Amino acid sequence: MQSEFLAGSFSEVGVTGCENANQPGVSFLAFDPEEELLWASTFEGRVCSYYGPNLEKYTSFLAHTDPVRQLLPLQAGVVSISPSELRMTARTGLRCFSHKDTTKLNELQCIVGGQDVSKILIGCQDNKLVTFDMSQVSITQEETIEASPTVLRQSETFTCVGTATGDLILLDPTSLKQQYRIHQHPAAVTDMVVAGHYIATCSYSINVFNQLAGDERLAVYDVRALRPLCPLSTMCQPMILRHVPSMGSTLLVVSQAGEFQFIHVGGLVTPATMCLHQVNTQGLPCCAADVSPSGQFLAFGDSTGLIHNWSSAESTDEDIVLNPYSHPSLFPDQVEPAPYMDFDDPELGAPLSAAPLTIIPSGSKLLSDWPALNSRYVLRQPEPIPSDILDNMKMVQFVGYAPKPTGLHRNQCPYQLSKYHNSSKKTEPESPMMRVDNPLSVVPKPYRRVEIKYSKLGVEGFDFQHYNKTSFAGLEIHIPNAYCNAMLQVLYFLEPVCCSLRSHKCSREFCLSCELNFLFRMLEQCQGGHCQASNFLRTFRTLREASALGLVMSDLKCQMDLGKIIQQWTSFVLQQLHQETLSSKSSNAASSPATSVIQDMFSTDVEIESVCRCGKQISRAASEMNFPLIYPSSPSPLQTVSFAALIQQSLCRKQHTHMWCDECARYRPAKEKRRIVSLPRTLCLTCQVEYDEARRFWAALNGALPLSLSMQIKEEGLIVLEEAYSSDQDVCSSTPKESAVFDLVSVVGHVIDSTIDNSASDESNDNLVAHIRVGPSYHLRKEDKSSTRWYLFNDFAVQPISQVEAASIDNRWFTPCVLMYSQRGVNSLFSEDALKVVYQLDSTVLTSDRLHRTASNVTQSPLTFTPLQIHEGFPCRGDIIAIDAEFVTLNQEEAELHSDGTHLTVKPSQLSVARVSVVRGEGMLEGTPFIDDYISTSEQVVDYLTRFSGIKPGDLDAHMSSKHLTTLKETYLKLLYLVDTGVSFVGHGLKKDFRVINIKVPANQVLDTVELFHLPNHRFVSLKFLAWFLLGMTIQGGSHDSVEDARTALMLYRKYQQLVARGDLASQLRELYDAGREHQWKIPGQ
């Protein structure tokens, strides 16, 4: 355990929702010293316990009507205190006793166990200490001290009291008489810990603004020598202190912001004490923390009711325990479930109607005759209107008119009953590479996880067209962190966001907005087909903030909760895009206040009001981009909460938090509520479906989302929400910030096939999909017709769906994660300039090279290219240039070798572009390169492929390289300029080169020699063999050189033009293949 601790191996292993009814927030955490339990309390007076390292719910009960201030697990049970009540409860949840005495027990603050196991010591706010005998349920002793106690701890020789005045008072444990008093801090002591003969305290201090803030120093007192020691400096503002039992004098220091570190009370500095960890509290306060008796687990509670569990080892190991010397816990007897019988089981042999009914006495009712409270009248969903009717419909006021299609009867709407009995009906023919057919799966095939089956040609041999017959492109899945494909598609189909990002331009090396610009450009150019977000994900992996939030996966096989992580990804990326586009605008136009389209699209102005218990109010303005849904904790089985009411509760949520009160002169609980000031143009909702409350709500929602919502701001910031219909007109208002109708535009959901057991496999079978409403402008650009339709985006599988299916929620396999509602006619709220793409590159990108090197002691090698000069002109439309690229491997290929000798690629190697060379194809300097860039990379390279690429270790390192080193973005912009100019690219195997570079080049601009010198139904010929046979040259003798390969491809193209002009191409190709078969496609003599 000590080696693991010193290695700093603590990491978050799970998050558990603490059960609460109305007011979320964990007020206290305590590990049980007797059993394998963790106790938690809330601000509403509820106490819960969780069993084992997986924190399985054990008991839960309402102990008090006021917030619980402290828990004390003892041998006989757990003691809890509220401001006015003391209670002891057995671990099974049964109450042992409760005690109220307003005269002697008023404003209880803290408790601690005494030397006598039957007695506890209670600190009250009125400068009073009370000894309480639990066996007699009475007060046996009272003592008054000089200040109000805030923390109580017990050492071997003293009872230690931390006070509101910042003093440390040492009392005699028996008589409670004061022995020593030490002034430790200028403000109240917030926490205290006893580690051997050391006492450490934390408190507030006065900052430079003459305000109280968390003191970054811990006061340490030596009880054995009765003298204070040097204060300990921390990297955070400590609010909670805990002793790590297995590490001697090591303390856990936790701040209100969720930061924590380990520190040695003697000042010993180790690698572990220099690490600062962050609990993912989503920016909310961390209210409680504790360390397990084994020292292997840490628990942190935040103000939303979440318990974050951190461990120093894998939680799946059977040897991991919370308490190494625990007693067995008591569990209820297991009830054998009744056997399941299917009504439609053919083995029953007869229909249910054949079973005789029991004679029912007169006046009695059948069991199936349910009362109205237990049943609900549900109308059958009508069939969706065919798309050909919607495309030809003309609106007159609020009535639509369209020609009647042939074969459709007037005033009749037939139902296809078979569709309701089989929700996984096949909608397209299967292929050998289709999804795995599991007859027990409840997931329809279009929603199942799609996999790329690799052939000997790699990904080129895969039939992507089978999965996508639409005009919109899908995104490939074989790249790490491709779980965000669904949200990338959502951002692309939000037209103001798409136009803004496609117009973004900056000079930063790693910019998500620039990479989304390039990705959206490819999605726009593709007529169906598929793209990959490799460059965007490469930039995403370099962001330290994304790694700190756990959004970066190192491997495709990482087991993670996709539903939870896509919600965190959405919040992070929206904020990141806002900052990037905001800084870009502020640098371009310093005179006007800078705003971003992300802010204009998603931002909601709110006013947050915090009220202390003393009545002091503090208000502040804030802006939020997305709202997490807040669910009712324990709804009655008969209670139904509408979706509109849920959103209203989430927008104007109320919660308990902590705040510093100047009136009370200390840190106190407070009530916080939000008021909406203005409505967003697009309402982004994260569903928080990882909690039991969310699952109960979606199970009771009757399986459908409202397609439209009417929202209006009333007085005092209250929101009025109600479901609307698609035909409703906008709510009349002076501004859309006060009232509007919101239409559902996208649903990102988590698909989990519960019928497949993945426990024995490293790979998960779940995936994320998106239902997206594609607007008329996208159809107009792709299909030359204006229409609005819903589509299902399942990575590279895309297909149209009905509006009813888009809003349907099947709780057996589909869990909603991110919902977006946009104001009706949201595009009209933006100016015409905001909906135009303004992005044009000029020729300066070819000449403004910046060396990306940081080493000052490395000599720059001579340039291997001649830059373009103004007098020779820049490439124009139709000009010929030759290109070649070299790559390195970031991840090795994973393959399976079957018993019959066949080779199956499970995961291809991940390539990264390392060198790009572009050669002039015309003019006086024909064959001379004008681009020869080595691409700097900060990622780990597992294979430089020196034999095939010519790249050596150190060539791509900014600290060591002597090459002409640039960034991928700079080289990408050069190629993008050449593509936009309309030049023709000559090369060999350009399809693979452009795929790894992740750039889309029109087919009429590509002259690939591997295709020019190829006979149908025959193998492709290598560049080396073509150069030997057609040009009489021997190339690639030692290793590949991209300049040499590009120049050779240019010479082959000139040879091709000569053969076509003479009419000898066909005969020359036959001779080429004859020579290849004769020499087995190898150069003679090599």
Side-chain angles (χ1 to χ4, degrees):
M1 174 61 200
Q2 185 172 358
S3 62
E4 292 179 355
F5 171 76
L6 292 179
S9 60
F10 276 94
S11 61
E12 185 170 352
V13 296
V15 178
T16 304
C18 187
E19 182 179 349
N20 48 75
N22 298 314
Q23 306 295 337
V26 179
S27 62
F28 200 84
L29 290 174
F31 283 94
D32 200 314
E34 301 292 332
E35 297 187 10
E36 193 82 355
L37 297 175
L38 169 64
W39 291 93
S41 62
T42 67
F43 287 105
E44 65 164 2
R46 182 170 294 275
V47 176
C48 311
S49 62
Y50 302 89
Y51 177 80
N54 294 327
L55 297 188
E56 302 172 359
K57 183 174 289 186
Y58 184 69
T59 54
S60 178
F61 50 89
L62 187 64
H64 306 276
T65 57
D66 297 328
V68 179
R69 288 186 171 174
Q70 188 174 339
L71 297 174
L72 180 63
L74 301 173
Q75 183 177 2
V78 59
V79 179
S80 60
I81 61 169
S82 69
S84 59
E85 183 183 12
L86 169 69
R87 170 173 169 153
M88 183 173 185
T89 312
R91 288 176 172 83
T92 56
L94 299 177
R95 182 174 63 176
C96 298
F97 67 83
S98 62
H99 186 81
K100 284 187 177 182
D101 189 343
T102 56
T103 58
K104 297 182 180 180
L105 293 180
N106 186 22
E107 286 294 331
L108 280 66
Q109 295 288 336
C110 48
I111 55 175
V112 70
Q115 294 181 346
D116 189 348
V117 295
S118 64
K119 296 181 180 180
I120 58 174
L121 184 63
I122 307 173
C124 301
Q125 189 175 356
D126 52 356
N127 302 359
K128 185 188 299 182
L129 295 178
V130 176
T131 302
F132 189 87
D133 192 332
M134 294 180 292
S135 60
Q136 302 178 6
V137 192
S138 62
I139 298 175
T140 59
Q141 185 179 0
E142 296 182 39
E143 191 70 31
T144 302
I145 58 177
E146 298 179 0
S148 175
T150 57
V151 188
L152 289 176
R153 294 291 184 265
Q154 191 74 42
S155 69
E156 295 181 358
T157 55
F158 296 104
T159 296
C160 310
V161 182
T163 67
T165 58
D167 296 333
L168 171 62
I169 300 177
L170 303 182
L171 307 177
D172 180 82
T174 304
S175 62
L176 298 183
K177 298 298 183 182
Q178 178 175 316
Q179 304 296 319
Y180 302 96
R181 179 181 179 184
I182 305 97
H183 186 68
Q184 298 276 76
H185 304 280
V189 177
T190 58
D191 206 351
M192 175 171 52
V193 66
V194 176
H197 56 273
Y198 295 111
I199 301 175
T201 58
C202 62
S203 177
Y204 293 102
S205 63
I206 301 176
N207 57 18
V208 294
F209 302 104
N210 200 24
Q211 297 177 346
L212 288 179
D215 194 346
E216 297 182 356
R217 296 180 303 173
L218 301 181
V220 182
Y221 189 81
D222 190 344
V223 180
R224 183 176 53 185
L226 295 177
R227 63 182 181 88
L229 302 181
C230 293
L232 299 178
S233 298
T234 64
M235 293 184 288
C236 59
Q237 296 181 351
M239 293 296 296
I240 303 173
L241 298 179
R242 291 294 183 269
H243 179 219
V244 183
S246 58
M247 293 307 301
S249 299
T250 301
L251 307 182
L252 172 67
V253 181
V254 186
S255 72
Q256 185 186 3
E259 302 169 328
F260 72 92
Q261 71 172 114
F262 297 96
I263 189 170
H264 196 276
V265 71
L268 177 65
V269 179
T270 64
T273 60
M274 299 176 64
C275 296
L276 183 65
H277 305 265
Q278 175 67 55
V279 181
N280 186 15
T281 61
Q282 301 291 336
L284 297 174
C286 180
C287 305
D290 200 16
V291 183
S292 67
S294 64
Q296 297 174 340
F297 279 85
L298 311 177
F300 303 91
D302 61 25
S303 61
T304 61
L306 296 182
I307 300 176
H308 303 264
N309 187 15
W310 287 59
S311 173
S312 62
E314 295 295 335
S315 60
T316 56
D317 294 345
E318 297 180 356
D319 297 335
I320 304 300
V321 293
L322 302 181
N323 191 345
Y325 308 105
S326 62
H327 301 293
S329 300
L330 181 63
F331 289 93
D333 297 332
Q334 296 292 332
V335 179
E336 292 293 334
Y340 173 76
M341 296 181 63
D342 192 350
F343 282 171
D344 298 328
D345 191 352
E347 296 182 0
L348 293 178
L352 294 177
S353 60
L357 294 177
T358 306
I359 299 177
I360 306 299
S362 177
S364 59
K365 293 184 178 181
L366 295 175
L367 180 62
S368 59
D369 188 9
W370 283 18
L373 294 176
N374 294 351
S375 59
R376 180 170 47 192
Y377 182 73
V378 179
L379 295 174
R380 175 183 291 177
Q381 293 287 346
E383 286 292 311
I385 301 176
S387 58
D388 53 350
I389 296 180
L390 295 175
D391 295 340
N392 299 319
M393 181 178 294
K394 296 181 178 179
M395 298 297 298
V396 178
Q397 292 183 354
F398 58 90
V399 180
Y401 297 89
K404 182 177 74 68
T406 58
L408 186 64
H409 298 284
R410 187 179 300 275
N411 299 329
Q412 291 185 7
C413 184
Y415 288 95
Q416 299 177 2
L417 298 180
S418 59
K419 183 181 71 172
Y420 297 97
H421 293 296
N422 184 13
S423 60
S424 59
K425 182 179 179 180
K426 186 188 303 182
T427 58
E428 59 181 7
E430 296 297 315
S431 72
M433 294 174 291
M434 191 58 176
R435 308 161 179 87
V436 178
D437 189 10
N438 180 14
L440 301 178
S441 176
V442 297
V443 181
K445 287 187 178 179
Y447 289 84
R448 296 181 191 174
R449 179 181 174 87
V450 289
E451 295 287 353
I452 300 178
K453 303 298 182 182
Y454 302 95
S455 63
K456 61 181 180 181
L457 299 177
V459 73
E460 304 299 335
F462 186 71
D463 184 16
F464 285 99
Q465 188 177 2
H466 172 77
Y467 295 90
N468 184 8
K469 295 180 173 60
T470 68
S471 302
F472 303 100
L475 293 173
E476 297 179 16
I477 195 177
H478 67 281
I479 314 169
N481 303 297
Y483 65 85
C484 61
N485 284 345
M487 278 304 304
L488 293 177
Q489 294 280 15
V490 171
L491 294 177
Y492 169 68
F493 286 106
L494 292 174
E495 190 164 6
V497 176
C498 179
C499 294
S500 173
L501 293 178
R502 288 198 59 196
S503 303
H504 176 77
K505 185 191 302 183
C506 71
S507 59
R508 288 189 296 270
E509 177 183 0
F510 300 112
C511 175
L512 292 185
S513 300
C514 288
E515 297 301 336
L516 284 180
N517 176 14
F518 305 146
L519 176 62
F520 291 170
R521 173 192 173 97
M522 291 190 293
L523 292 176
E524 193 71 28
Q525 292 174 341
C526 285
Q527 190 69 22
H530 58 96
C531 298
Q532 57 177 351
S534 56
N535 285 357
F536 170 81
L537 296 176
R538 176 181 182 267
T539 301
F540 183 73
R541 292 193 298 268
T542 61
L543 299 180
R544 292 177 295 178
E545 297 88 349
S547 301
L549 292 174
L551 302 179
V552 177
M553 300 167 52
S554 59
D555 197 343
L556 290 172
K557 297 183 178 180
C558 292
Q559 292 283 355
M560 60 194 318
D561 187 354
L562 294 179
K564 177 181 178 182
I565 200 172
I566 195 61
Q567 299 175 68
Q568 298 175 349
W569 186 94
T570 302
S571 303
F572 169 75
V573 169
L574 288 181
Q575 190 64 33
Q576 185 72 16
L577 295 179
H578 165 63
Q579 295 295 337
E580 291 175 352
T581 54
L582 185 66
S583 60
S584 176
K585 285 192 174 184
S586 60
S587 61
N588 296 335
S591 58
S592 59
T595 59
S596 68
V597 174
I598 303 297
Q599 182 180 8
D600 296 339
M601 192 73 172
F602 296 99
S603 178
T604 303
D605 295 332
V606 298
E607 181 182 353
I608 303 176
E609 180 180 298
S610 301
V611 182
C612 180
R613 297 183 59 183
C614 67
K616 181 178 178 56
Q617 297 183 2
I618 300 177
S619 299
R620 59 185 176 91
S623 178
E624 296 190 7
M625 298 245 183
N626 65 297
F627 290 90
L629 293 182
I630 308 298
Y631 299 91
S633 308
S634 303
S636 170
L638 303 180
Q639 180 184 0
T640 58
V641 180
S642 65
F643 185 72
L646 178 69
I647 298 180
Q648 181 175 354
Q649 175 183 340
S650 303
L651 295 182
C652 303
R653 65 179 183 267
K654 300 178 181 179
Q655 63 183 7
H656 274 258
T657 183
H658 282 70
M659 61 170 284
W660 174 256
C661 180
D662 295 332
E663 299 291 338
C664 302
R666 61 176 181 163
Y667 198 78
R668 300 201 61 181
K671 294 182 179 180
E672 182 180 279
K673 61 180 179 180
R674 283 170 163 79
R675 293 190 179 97
I676 302 299
V677 179
S678 63
L679 296 178
R681 297 177 179 178
T682 295
L683 179 62
C684 180
L685 303 171
T686 53
C687 298
Q688 307 291 325
V689 291
E690 59 268 23
Y691 308 126
D692 294 337
E693 296 84 355
R695 299 188 184 96
R696 288 197 298 265
F697 172 82
W698 290 107
L701 191 61
N702 197 22
L705 291 169
L707 293 170
S708 300
L709 293 170
S710 175
M711 190 179 304
Q712 188 174 6
I713 300 180
K714 295 294 185 179
E715 297 179 357
E716 297 183 358
L718 297 178
I719 293 292
V720 176
L721 267 149
E722 58 183 8
E723 297 184 11
Y725 297 96
S726 57
S727 59
D728 290 348
Q729 300 299 315
D730 294 344
V731 178
C732 295
S733 174
S734 58
T735 169
K737 292 187 176 182
E738 296 178 2
S739 60
V741 174
F742 287 77
D743 294 325
L744 181 67
V745 294
S746 67
V747 179
V748 175
H750 187 196
V751 178
I752 305 177
D753 194 347
S754 58
T755 61
I756 299 179
D757 184 12
N758 297 316
S759 58
S761 174
D762 293 334
E763 299 188 24
S764 61
N765 199 54
D766 55 344
N767 59 297
L768 294 169
V769 301
H771 296 162
I772 302 177
R773 192 184 69 169
V774 180
S777 59
Y778 291 90
H779 284 97
L780 194 61
R781 294 195 296 267
K782 296 281 188 177
E783 302 174 353
D784 293 330
K785 63 179 181 180
S786 179
S787 62
T788 301
R789 295 182 184 176
W790 283 90
Y791 289 86
L792 166 65
F793 289 86
N794 185 5
D795 293 317
F796 55 81
V798 185
Q799 71 175 42
I801 58 175
S802 65
Q803 182 175 265
V804 175
E805 182 178 354
S808 299
I809 303 295
D810 193 333
N811 296 283
R812 297 176 299 170
W813 52 271
F814 187 87
T815 305
C817 300
V818 182
L819 308 177
M820 287 197 181
Y821 284 84
S822 289
Q823 288 193 28
R824 188 165 299 170
V826 64
N827 292 349
S828 62
L829 303 179
F830 293 86
S831 63
E832 294 183 1
D833 295 338
L835 299 178
K836 292 181 181 179
V837 178
V838 183
Y839 188 85
Q840 185 175 4
L841 296 172
D842 51 31
S843 57
T844 56
V845 298
L846 298 177
T847 57
S848 58
D849 267 344
R850 294 183 301 171
L851 292 182
H852 189 70
R853 292 193 298 113
T854 59
S856 58
N857 58 346
V858 178
T859 304
Q860 172 70 27
S861 299
L863 290 179
T864 56
F865 64 96
T866 303
L868 289 173
Q869 304 297 326
I870 298 179
H871 62 81
E872 65 175 311
F874 293 96
C876 302
R877 182 173 299 276
D879 289 352
I880 301 296
I881 62 172
I883 185 174
D884 189 71
E886 305 294 348
F887 312 105
V888 294
T889 301
L890 301 182
N891 288 323
Q892 293 287 8
E893 177 186 271
E894 295 183 11
E896 295 178 353
L897 184 62
H898 296 170
S899 58
D900 57 356
T902 58
H903 178 275
L904 176 63
T905 301
V906 178
K907 187 183 73 171
S909 58
Q910 183 183 357
L911 300 178
S912 176
V913 59
R915 183 184 181 187
V916 176
S917 302
V918 183
V919 174
R920 296 173 175 87
E922 298 173 350
M924 297 292 296
L925 297 178
E926 179 178 346
T928 304
F930 63 91
I931 295 177
D932 189 18
D933 292 346
Y934 286 77
I935 310 301
S936 173
T937 179
S938 58
E939 297 184 288
Q940 182 179 4
V941 178
V942 299
D943 192 352
Y944 284 89
L945 305 175
T946 305
R947 177 185 172 189
F948 305 102
S949 65
I951 306 297
K952 300 178 181 179
D955 287 349
L956 309 181
D957 191 346
H959 302 279
M960 302 172 55
S961 177
S962 62
K963 307 295 184 181
H964 183 266
L965 203 62
T966 64
T967 63
L968 176 61
K969 182 178 177 180
E970 292 179 354
T971 304
Y972 193 94
L973 290 175
K974 297 176 185 178
L975 299 180
L976 198 61
Y977 170 78
L978 295 174
V979 173
D980 292 343
T981 303
V983 301
S984 296
F985 294 87
V986 176
H988 191 83
L990 291 182
K991 190 173 184 180
K992 178 182 178 182
D993 291 356
F994 291 147
R995 174 181 171 82
V996 178
I997 297 173
N998 200 18
I999 191 172
K1000 185 73 174 179
V1001 181
N1004 58 357
Q1005 293 181 234
V1006 178
L1007 301 171
D1008 199 337
T1009 55
V1010 78
E1011 299 286 351
L1012 298 180
F1013 296 98
H1014 175 246
L1015 285 177
N1017 301 323
H1018 287 71
R1019 63 165 289 171
F1020 293 102
V1021 186
S1022 66
L1023 180 65
K1024 186 175 183 179
F1025 194 85
L1026 286 175
W1028 170 78
F1029 182 80
L1030 296 175
L1031 304 177
M1033 296 172 51
T1034 301
I1035 62 173
Q1036 303 173 357
S1039 62
H1040 290 230
D1041 183 86
S1042 56
V1043 174
E1044 180 186 39
D1045 292 351
R1047 188 181 292 119
T1048 303
L1050 179 62
M1051 298 171 65
L1052 285 173
Y1053 176 68
R1054 297 303 182 193
K1055 182 68 174 180
Y1056 171 81
Q1057 289 179 316
Q1058 298 174 7
L1059 293 175
V1060 172
R1062 297 199 306 261
D1064 297 337
L1065 179 62
S1067 59
Q1068 191 72 45
L1069 287 178
R1070 286 192 295 269
E1071 294 177 8
L1072 170 67
Y1073 277 85
D1074 291 340
R1077 285 187 289 268
E1078 179 182 355
H1079 298 287
Q1080 297 182 353
W1081 303 103
K1082 297 180 180 179
I1083 307 300
Q1086 292 188 6

